[in-house]
Amino acid sequence: MRAYSLDDVHATRKRKDSWWTVFLVDPVACRLTLLVANHTSVTPNGLTRLSLILGMCSAICFAGGRLVAGALLFYVSFAVDCMDGKIARLKGTGTAFGLWLDYVGDRIRVVCCASGLASGQYAVTGDVSYILLGAGVAVLDLFRYVNAPQMKRVRETVKENRLGHLASVGPVGSVEQGAAGRSGQNGRAGDAEVVMLREPITPREPLTPREPITPREPLRDAGFGDEAVPLSASMSASPPAPGEPVRRAGRRSRLPRRVGRLLARHRVRTHLISGIEFHAAVFVVAPLIGTAALVPVAVGAGALLLLNEVFLIYRMWLFARVAPVVPLVEKAPRVSV
């Protein structure tokens, strides 16, 4: 059996991850992964099942009113859940079924812990707000995981449509082809069709599918990532006057970019509120603080997560609503054959 090093384990970490995982989970999970990889034959699916079992134990503790024990078990369950992917990448033993098992196991753990936390506090206090809290946590988590693949599907569809449009139009430039005339009964055209541009397009940079030129304000990035900025921020309308200092594009966003680079150096995503932080706030931080913190912490974390989802949906809408890749394209009259 090969002896792995901690550097080998670190190489399996995601390029970018949530700040909760990077700073508070990975330091523990990586060292546990090293022990498991070097001294056991546990499979990634075995770790996923162990994570689910620990999650069920956490839910039982929450239902019994033992908040601290439930919070600690949830943390350990999440750490083990982080280990299965590292083991899979380290040993090359990942499977497609393992991806499904990991996804479903996470949803079961969250729903059960939310139910346990709500039922346990309702049994002690009789306050129906805890029931509403548990339902809200479960619904928000499920919405996030249902919405994410649909947004990805929209993004991929828009990309495919743009690439297909580029392929159908051909190289960018003037097309000196006209129409020979119209024919056919009642003005119906024939089968041949010529695509003609009104004028040559001479962009400042080579035209690529990742940087479409449109009359609106598309996002520079092809996805919804943090680097996406309006094209107007990088393409000035007119050259500067003689003697006028050249203003670099994006000067006003220099501070956010510096923050983004700082976070990237530490592998932290710029979306500082994601599902992982939401789970940590509801099932780890709030229970450790005490019963009085359950509702306000969960409501605050849920509101931030919902705002993040709305922001992502808005960016998806901006990305999907832009015009076709090549502007000012008109179809010439069809040529009879």
Side-chain angles (χ1 to χ4, degrees), residues 117 129-130 132-134 136-137 140 273 278 281-283 286 292-307:
L117 192 61
S129 62
Y130 289 107
L132 298 176
L133 175 67
V137 169
L140 186 56
I273 298 296
F278 175 64
V282 175
F283 300 121
L294 290 178
V295 173
V297 170
V299 170
L304 291 175
L305 179 63
L306 187 59
L307 286 175

Side-chain angles (χ1 to χ4, degrees), residues 7 12 55 61 76-77 114 116-117 135 154 177 194 196 198 209 232 234-235 283 292 305 309 332:
D7 290 336
T12 65
C61 289
V76 175
S77 173
L117 192 61
V154 170
Q177 298 185 19
V194 179
M196 182 169 56
R198 295 180 184 174
S232 59
S234 60
M235 299 177 65
F283 300 121
L305 179 63
E309 290 298 309

Side-chain angles (χ1 to χ4, degrees), residues 12-330:
T12 65
R13 298 176 301 183
K14 296 178 182 178
R15 186 176 65 88
K16 285 187 178 182
D17 214 332
S18 67
W19 62 265
W20 176 267
T21 302
V22 170
F23 296 122
L24 298 175
V25 178
D26 266 353
V28 176
C30 287
R31 284 162 176 79
L32 292 177
T33 299
L34 183 63
L35 293 175
V36 171
N38 285 332
H39 301 288
T40 72
S41 58
V42 176
T43 64
N45 289 350
L47 290 172
T48 303
R49 290 191 291 268
L50 176 60
S51 173
L52 182 57
I53 292 172
L54 291 171
M56 296 300 99
C57 293
S58 174
I60 293 173
C61 289
F62 285 142
R66 297 187 293 274
L67 297 183
V68 174
L72 294 178
L73 282 172
F74 188 91
Y75 173 85
V76 175
S77 173
F78 181 76
V80 174
D81 188 43
C82 293
M83 292 169 57
D84 59 3
K86 292 178 173 59
I87 290 291
R89 290 185 287 271
L90 189 64
K91 295 186 175 182
T93 55
T95 63
F97 177 77
L99 294 175
W100 176 87
L101 184 64
D102 183 65
Y103 180 86
V104 174
D106 288 346
R107 307 288 66 73
I108 294 175
R109 177 179 58 192
V110 171
V111 170
C112 289
C113 286
S115 302
L117 192 61
S119 61
Q121 293 306 304
Y122 177 75
V124 174
T125 64
D127 189 351
V128 72
S129 62
Y130 289 107
I131 300 298
L132 298 176
L133 175 67
V137 169
V139 169
L140 186 56
D141 181 74
L142 291 176
F143 166 76
R144 184 176 65 90
Y145 272 87
V146 169
N147 186 42
Q150 294 304 315
M151 289 197 299
K152 181 180 179 182
R153 183 179 178 183
V154 170
R155 179 178 57 191
E156 292 175 348
T157 300
V158 173
K159 287 180 180 180
E160 291 174 0
N161 290 343
R162 291 178 176 178
L163 291 175
H165 188 79
L166 281 176
S168 65
V169 173
V172 177
S174 61
V175 180
E176 297 179 353
Q177 298 185 19
R182 298 183 180 180
S183 63
Q185 296 180 352
N186 300 325
R188 297 178 62 182
D191 296 330
E193 180 175 320
V194 179
V195 177
M196 182 169 56
L197 303 183
R198 295 180 184 174
E199 58 183 357
I201 299 176
T202 56
R204 297 174 61 182
E205 298 178 0
L207 182 65
T208 67
R210 290 179 57 85
E211 187 171 351
I213 300 177
T214 71
R216 296 180 183 174
E217 285 296 306
L219 300 178
R220 171 178 289 276
D221 191 68
F224 313 133
D226 308 306
E227 301 83 4
V229 296
L231 287 179
S232 59
S234 60
M235 299 177 65
S236 57
S238 59
E244 180 182 351
V246 178
R247 297 180 180 272
R248 288 184 173 271
R251 175 183 291 268
R252 287 177 293 182
S253 61
R254 180 174 297 176
L255 179 60
R257 288 185 179 182
R258 287 179 177 176
V259 173
R261 288 194 293 266
L262 176 63
L263 295 175
R265 284 199 295 269
H266 293 281
R267 302 188 304 110
V268 177
R269 294 190 301 237
T270 52
H271 299 305
L272 298 181
I273 298 296
S274 66
I276 293 176
E277 287 83 11
F278 175 64
H279 299 160
V282 175
F283 300 121
V284 179
V285 175
L288 289 178
I289 295 175
T291 304
L294 290 178
V295 173
V297 170
V299 170
L304 291 175
L305 179 63
L306 187 59
L307 286 175
N308 183 67
E309 290 298 309
V310 171
F311 175 70
L312 293 178
I313 293 172
Y314 172 71
R315 297 187 72 172
M316 177 192 65
W317 175 73
L318 288 179
F319 178 71
R321 70 188 284 266
V322 295
V325 177
V326 180
L328 303 177
V329 176
E330 64 178 8

